[in-house]
Amino acid sequence: MSVESSADRAGMGALPPGSTVGILGGGQLGRMMAIAAASYGLKTHIFAPDADSPAFEVAGKHTVAGYEDEAALVAFAAAVDVVTYEFENIPAESVDLLRRHVPLFPDHKALATTQDRLLEKRFVAALGIPTAPFRDIASRQDLVTALADLGAPAILKTRRFGYDGKGQVKIEVGADLDAALAAIGHAPAILEGFVPFVREVSVVGARDQAGAFAAYDVCENVHRHHILDITTVPSALSAEQTAEAIAAAKAIADALSYVGVLAVEMFVLEGGDSPIVVNEIAPRVHNSGHWTIEGAITSQFAQHIRAVCGWPLGSTRRNGQVEMRNLIGDDVEAWADIVAQPGLHLHLYGKASARPGRKMGHVTRVLPE
Ligand code: AMP
């Protein structure tokens, strides 16, 4: 198929190979996006504040500057054909500046909605999709009232800048509320009722510029110390829950007129007919989708690049039974044992120091079904 007919299908001018994709953020997600872009003959330009960013090694160009540096952002926008990002905490002013100069996907609406847990939960609930019960917490009195309402245990989460369990604290019966508020720095927050889930899953899906949506099979995720440890696909969900999970992700993507890959994290309650509860939306490629590099026909990174460049989506079909394990901190020392096993796919992110809790790489195994 020619590039021209692909563009027709996507409903806009597809960026041709040789174009430059600008990526905000230089971590492992940006690195794997840049590798995927290169395989399509696209160039990448990474913008990140840290001179040691793992993505710089695999991209043709990079800019070292802060996300508030207006002059650097304008120069970056002028040097690229489209901008995307690998993390959601980009300041709104920087997003507004960039989008005046260059197309940005996923767009500012997706960012604004997912940067703030309160807006995000209201948005999901308004679509009729179950979430944990939640309350807006702007003061100590709000917390007292909400706790009386929702009951303990409950989870206090900052509205913004939370990830991997940071910016949140569990409140048990009789807990010291002042200590809980101090633990999140008295930041604007929400209180969530505790969901007694039996498993955590995510749906990684993509929407293209013509509005087509495609999801990968539901991923089942196990966390260790609040950080993703293992993803297995297929999940143990019932057929009804699988359909419900994918329908929720599609409804979210459609309502945001989303372009790119997104991940929707969900809780599963006991019983194959219990509803799926949406926890949060990541407006980007996601750790629970790393298995797609070898485990699906189109990786999530290739899929994201296709969508933001106005190309049609690739197939999300799975290649087998897949397990992805993160290499966190010292786990990376096992690299030699991993490469000694010919069936394993090792991915290392090129990070110099293996600090505890730092994602250093991952390893994937694909078995025939
Ligand atoms: P989050 O930062 O919202 O992704 O939460 C991190 C982890 O905390 C989740 O993966 C769950 O294991 C747990 N968690 C978060 N919210 C709740 C909740 N409302 N009920 C039970 N567990 C939760």
Side-chain angles (χ1 to χ4, degrees):
M1 185 195 300
S2 72
V3 170
E4 211 170 76
S5 66
S6 303
D8 291 345
R9 270 178 54 202
M12 63 152 279
L15 288 179
S19 305
T20 301
V21 179
I23 301 173
L24 295 164
Q28 63 269 17
L29 301 180
R31 178 180 168 107
M32 290 185 274
M33 265 191 236
I35 293 170
S39 73
Y40 286 137
L42 293 157
K43 302 182 197 308
T44 48
H45 184 150
I46 311 283
F47 186 109
D50 185 346
D52 284 335
S53 296
F56 289 173
E57 285 176 2
V58 300
K61 294 218 171 79
H62 67 258
T63 299
V64 181
Y67 297 115
E68 291 86 11
D69 184 334
E70 292 192 6
L73 287 169
V74 170
F76 172 67
V80 303
D81 297 296
V82 65
V83 171
T84 188
Y85 46 88
E86 58 136 41
F87 77 117
E88 52 272 45
N89 289 324
I90 306 154
E93 301 74 31
S94 307
V95 170
D96 287 340
L97 180 68
L98 281 169
R99 71 191 184 91
R100 286 204 297 274
H101 293 88
V102 65
L104 178 120
F105 299 113
D107 75 4
H108 59 290
K109 291 191 300 294
L111 271 171
T113 308
T114 57
Q115 278 178 344
D116 182 325
R117 287 187 194 274
L118 180 63
L119 302 186
E120 180 179 79
K121 285 250 158 27
R122 284 182 177 155
F123 163 75
V124 172
L127 293 173
I129 297 168
T131 66
F134 62 97
R135 297 288 183 275
D136 181 11
I137 306 295
S139 67
R140 188 182 194 286
Q141 186 53 49
D142 285 348
L143 180 57
V144 172
T145 310
L147 204 54
D149 208 8
L150 300 180
I155 304 192
L156 184 66
K157 301 182 179 180
T158 56
R159 285 176 59 172
R160 303 174 72 90
F161 305 121
Y163 69 98
D164 286 348
K166 295 189 174 63
Q168 61 176 270
V169 53
K170 190 170 174 186
I171 301 188
E172 305 280 1
V173 178
D176 177 347
L177 300 191
D178 294 306
L181 289 165
I184 61 156
H186 300 277
I190 61 170
L191 186 74
E192 279 185 27
F194 192 80
V195 179
F197 61 83
V198 290
R199 52 176 56 96
E200 294 187 78
V201 299
S202 54
V203 175
V204 178
R207 194 171 173 279
D208 71 17
Q209 293 183 16
F213 178 83
Y216 294 94
D217 284 345
V218 176
C219 323
E220 184 152 344
N221 305 315
V222 175
H223 295 83
R224 191 167 35 130
H225 308 305
H226 291 288
I227 299 172
L228 180 64
D229 184 18
I230 294 175
T231 296
T232 49
V233 195
S235 74
L237 257 56
S238 65
E240 295 75 21
Q241 287 173 320
T242 300
E244 193 188 328
I246 290 175
K250 180 178 188 308
I252 288 167
D254 285 343
L256 290 169
S257 305
Y258 194 88
V259 172
V261 165
L262 87 173
V264 184
E265 295 184 55
M266 308 177 187
F267 299 137
V268 184
L269 302 169
E270 202 152 6
D273 56 354
S274 60
I276 300 286
V277 176
V278 165
N279 178 34
E280 70 179 345
I281 306 164
R284 53 170 168 79
V285 291
H286 192 256
N287 197 168
S288 67
H290 289 2
W291 63 271
T292 59
I293 296 174
E294 293 87 12
I297 290 185
T298 312
S299 80
Q300 64 164 348
F301 302 101
Q303 193 76 304
H304 186 75
I305 293 294
R306 292 167 77 111
V308 303
C309 288
W311 296 12
L313 300 179
S315 167
T316 52
R317 193 147 62 82
R318 196 158 43 81
N319 295 325
Q321 213 178 315
V322 196
E323 181 183 282
M324 186 286 313
R325 188 161 58 84
N326 269 337
L327 300 173
I328 312 241
D330 288 350
D331 294 348
V332 69
E333 286 167 17
W335 70 268
D337 297 334
I338 294 166
V339 286
Q341 298 182 56
L344 297 183
H345 300 280
L346 175 69
H347 296 260
L348 296 179
Y349 307 147
K351 297 182 185 178
S353 66
R355 289 193 298 273
R358 194 167 195 214
K359 290 175 179 169
M360 302 299 292
H362 71 268
V363 54
T364 304
R365 185 199 304 270
V366 183
L367 296 174
E369 273 188 311

